[in-house]
Amino acid sequence: MSGYGGVPPGWHDPYGGQGGYGGTPGWDDGGAYGPYGPPGVPHAPVSNGSAIAALVCNCVVALLCCNIVAIPGIVTGALALGRVQTDPASARRLTIWSWSLFAASVLIGIILLIVYVAFIVTSDSDYTSTGGV
């Protein structure tokens, strides 16, 4: 036979069925896989590149800027990295949180830098006095 639902020529059922008609699930009897056979190629493994990048970026911000917001970013990045294979949906949410905390850390660092520069510029660095000794 040829086509869908047929048994290949010379096929022998190792489980004792009658040539695939009623004995083996997955062949034309509508068993476990239905009339189309077992599933094909499995999906590609989930990538953990974004979780690694978020973890590294948060570590760099925590070390260089001493920013306390980066510490929860490190924690969420590490949790996401641990859950990539077991719970991809949770890992994706944690990675998004880690990137969000990284963005908040960078934003806080930029604001502090602007405030620091503004304080230096507006401070009175001229030590001359109008009177006295």
Side-chain angles (χ1 to χ4, degrees), residues 55-68 70-71 74:
L55 180 65
V56 169
C57 289
N58 278 305
C59 288
V60 168
V61 168
L63 291 175
L64 293 179
C65 301
C66 300
N67 197 335
I68 197 158
I71 294 172
I74 293 170

Side-chain angles (χ1 to χ4, degrees), residues 57-122:
C57 289
N58 278 305
C59 288
V60 168
V61 168
L63 291 175
L64 293 179
C65 301
C66 300
N67 197 335
I68 197 158
V69 178
I71 294 172
I74 293 170
V75 172
T76 55
L79 287 173
L81 194 56
R83 293 184 186 179
V84 165
Q85 297 299 326
T86 58
D87 190 8
S90 175
R92 180 170 169 76
R93 285 191 300 271
L94 286 169
T95 303
I96 291 171
W97 272 104
S98 184
W99 280 116
S100 300
L101 290 168
F102 171 71
S105 298
V106 170
L107 186 63
I108 289 171
I110 290 171
I111 289 172
L112 289 176
L113 182 67
I114 290 171
V115 168
Y116 180 73
V117 169
F119 179 73
I120 295 292
V121 168
T122 59

